[in-house]
Structures are given as structure tokens and as C-alpha cells.
Amino acid sequence: MKRKCKESVCSLDYYSMWIILCGWILMLSACNSKDQDHEVECLPFQESEDGYWGMIGTDGTVLFSEEFKNQPTWVINGRFLVKNSDDLWEYYTAESTPKKIGGEYCQAGMFYEDVAPVVEKGKPIQLIDKDGNVKATLDKINGKTVSECKNYCGGLMAVKIDGLWGAVDTSGRLIIEPKYYFMDISKNGNMLVSEEKYRDKDFPDKVFTVLSRNGQGLSSIKMSKYETLLTIYTNYLHRDYVLDDAVIPMVKKEKEQLPGILGLDGEWIMRPSSKVKQVFAIRKDKIIFSDGEKWGLMDITGKELIRPKFNILWFLDNDVLCGEKSKGDGFMLYTLEGEKLGNEAIKSPMLFFDAEHAFAEVSDHDYVLINKKGEELKLSADIYKIGLSYADNSFESDYVDFADLVDNLKMTKVGFLGLTTDLKGDQALLAINNIPGVQNFLGTDAKGYKQNGYVWTKVKTHKLTTVVEANIAGLVNETVSNNGWWSSTEYSWSNKTVPCYNIYFELKDTPQLAGRMRDLYVQLSDKIKSLGNVVKSGENAVVVQVSDGLYYYAYWSGSRIAVFFGYFDAESINENEFDNATEDIEVPILRPTIIDHQ
């Protein structure tokens, strides 16, 4: 059977090892866009269990103490974030008396560049500068809707435009055209992409391309040759698919999947070997690897520098390692030649954020500051906890373009979202599964639907969650066969077709519609009215006949908008039932009476 990988490059994930080493630190999936690795300037800390949070420099100097109830993020590029009492992000300057900048955001990113992506409630993605000023609004690019983005990496930001990924620079200017279903930008600015035509291909038939930051194709990778591509840690902030001049594919060899290092010219830098079962992290030309049992160090060509003898091994800096030889023994620092640094083991080391100092937890809530020789340095404050509250790294527009939303429902005289009344039960369920953004896939085995009624799923489009229903009452045949002393029952789809479909938008699923429910209803009803003859119309309900016996019916009941299409009794509908609707009114789902048209 062919392997299938629909939405991204598959990758082996060694989070479990890193979580054991220093669990809190890798929760940040961010990107270092600068040439240097050391950009974290200060860390949040508490002096007591119930104390407010302060900020301490990477050299152990306290910037401020006991200032915030909620845990701030790291300081990067002179700014940090903290959630307020309304669970919204706020930015602050990193100084002894922090100053708030900008507004309040439901999504916000770190300043890996001089701008950061943010999303305010009900608004599209924006780029703000370090003073909180809006520098660009990413609602549309070249007339097409921007729905998502990731944070900056290598000076570029991946953006999803009309369902496909492209990239913009720090001004919001489009650099890479949106034509990829998959895009991952590495910290060096190179990108791993795959075109839309490969989205639904079986994995061996997929092709990935490495692009330079200006969009030039550097390499083409046909997955028929490989099992998968890996991401590995290139610094303490980020996992990259594309290294400076290489990628790491997994190759099946003697019933094993083994990693190798492949140059962008298609030639092996390090061929897959049974001596190397996993690779985890790379710093410059040095790689942490495993022989399947223990971890060691090699160079990028596969030359062993430290034999695999560690239970856990990690880079603390480009030239310092941290390792635990046996589980529970504690961690020691080592040179790249394997020489031990310092004399005392520590419980859970952190990282050399400034290339000279590292905080280490020697026992529960007992922190020390160490240098690269493993020597303990004096701290200017007691530290109960050093923490991490990480900012967002991916963003979705909170703005709903109703015109685009209505267009994407593809409402016509014969149905919507590709759902029509000439489909049998199994055909309708397949059509539902093919709706872009479907979240819950429906099986098509008739036996699973022996109970008559409606089937439903949720579809996410434009960040709105839409419930899609199909009436399959009476579409399943049940045949009982008597075989002497026992009987069997078989289920099959009848020749009848689905009489009615409906969709719902509900405030509980789509809070960004608060205050705008009726606006969306008006857009939907205007579209429906354009498809046929209005036979009933109230303040917040409309019935439109599109052909003989076939109708659209839409209503706004307060916390819900519903649209029905199919064969139902239009005469029995009370078009004035929702005239007094307000968003705080909750009304049970009211379905029209279905008419058997077959």
C-alpha cells in the first residue's frame, strides 16, 4: 500500500528526549532570524512561590522584580509580552520600569525582526513596529484574502493567501507568490515548499523544492527515493528542514529507516549508515546523533567525535555540550572533545543565552548561574522559578470578509458546497468529506447509518466553524436473511437521494461574529434571493423557490444562522418567527418539514 502524507512533510520527532532534558524551554517553537544564536536578553523569574514575576538578565542581573501577576515571555529585541486579566497579549519595553506599547491582542508574536505580527479582535493580521505602530495590514494581497501567517524567520514570513502559502518581507511586500500547499522557512531564509498539484498525491509521488529567499529554486527532492524528511534543531529556538546547504532525508535500508545528509546538489554529504539511527541537533558542522541506544557527537560528514555513550546529550552553545551518561545521574558540561567541565552534576541545565552564562536548577526551586567552565557565579537575587510563557508563532486573521465567505459556500440553484439533491447517501457523504476545511470525516458504510436522521460534520473556513448537515432519513435499506436457525442483516444505500442539506453558523463556535450575526444573515439572504423567487420573507427569515418543489430557506434566530436547501414544505414555514431575534436569544434548531420528492 502506498504511503499517504497529505498536509506536510512527515518528520521524526525527538521532543521526548528534549523534554526530559529541559522540558519547558522547547515549548517555544520560534525562529532566530539573526546571524547570531544568542538573542534572548532576559528571562522571567519568581523570587517566591506565590510572588509576582520579574525579569532577570542572562548574566544574572535583575532588570526588575515582583511586577507582573501573569508570567511574561522572554525578552527578545528589547520587548516582551504578558497576558492581561482579559487573556489578551500586551507588549512592554524591557527596562527597569516597563512601559506598555501598542494595544491588546488576541494573537501576538515576538519581535524576531523590527516588526511583529499581531491580531486584534475582529481585525485582520497586522504588522506593528517596536513602538506599537501599525506598519502594514495583511487583509488582502493583490486582491486576495490573507487568512493565516507564521512568525518571521530569516527575514521572511509565510502567509496563506486564498488557501496557498507564499511569503512576505518585513514591510508586508509579497516576495514569494502563493502557490504552495506546504511552506517551511528556515532561519537562513531558505524555504522548503511543495506546489498545490502535489497536495493529494501519495507520499512517494510528492516533490519538494528548496527555494532561496528570493524564490530561486536550489534543489528538487523527489520523495520516491526517501521515506521522509527530518527537521532538527539548528539552535535552541528552532527546528529546520533546510540546513545551510543540505536536507536530512530518511532512507529505508535493510528494514530500517536511517538518516543521511543530502547536499542541495543532490549528492550525499553523509550517506545513511546503520551506525547512525537518529540525528537530533546541529551547530555549525557538529551533529548530535544516536546509534539507537546512546547519543554521541559527529561532524557533518559522519566522522565520530564523541562515541555514543550518553543517555542524553545536547548543545548548550556552539562549543559546549551538556550530557547525562546514566539516567538520574545528573548533567555535566563537556567540551566538543568530550572533556568534562566542572565538578558537580546539576539537575536540569538551561542554555547559554548570551554565550557566557547559563542558569541551572540544581534541585527543586534552587537555581544557580554557571559559566562555560561549569563554575558557579554569584546571583543578585533569590530565584524560586525561571519560567516561560511563550508568544504565538502562527496567526489567523480574526476578520471575517462576508462577501468572500458567501462566495466560498458556492450557493447555486442546485445546492451549495458541492452538495446536491441528486446524490445518494454514500455519494453525499463523500462530497461532504471533500469540502475544503472539513474537520470530522464521515464514513460511507451504510451499516453505520442504520439509524435514520441527520448526519453532520464541522467545516472550518475563514476561521469560522460551520456545521454541515445532510438528511439521510430513509436512505438505508435493511435486509434480513433467514438461514435456518440463525439470521443475518445486511445494510445498503437505497436508490433514494438526499432530500435536504443545511448549514449553521453559531456564536458558540464563531465568537468573532459577535455583534455581526445579522450582517452575515443579510449577505446570505441577498445571495439566496438572487437565485430564485422569494415566496416568503420576514424580518430575519426568507424562503426562495429555485425550481419546482426545490427551495432555499434561511433564518437568523439570535445566536444561530441557518441555511436549508432541498425539498421541504415551504407553506408551513413561519417567516415572522424570528422577527425579534437578538444575539443573546438561544433558539433550538428548527428544521422545515421534509417532503418526499421521489
Side-chain angles (χ1 to χ4, degrees), residues 34-72:
K34 305 185 186 327
D35 292 335
Q36 62 182 11
D37 283 342
H38 309 286
E39 61 174 48
V40 175
E41 299 155 14
C42 293
L43 306 166
F45 81 106
Q46 285 176 305
E47 297 180 64
S48 60
E49 182 175 5
D50 299 319
Y52 276 35
W53 289 88
M55 199 68 73
I56 190 167
T58 55
D59 63 354
T61 302
V62 174
L63 182 64
F64 59 82
S65 61
E66 300 283 342
E67 185 71 27
F68 293 96
K69 181 178 181 180
N70 292 329
Q71 185 183 140

Side-chain angles (χ1 to χ4, degrees), residues 156 175-176 188-191 210-218:
L156 295 176
I175 301 298
I176 305 297
N188 59 15
N190 288 341
M191 289 159 273
V210 178
L211 301 179
S212 68
R213 60 174 295 109
N214 63 6
Q216 178 185 358
L218 301 177

Side-chain angles (χ1 to χ4, degrees), residues 428-440:
L429 299 179
L430 285 173
I432 290 173
N433 288 343
N434 286 328
I435 298 173
V438 66
Q439 293 179 296
N440 310 102

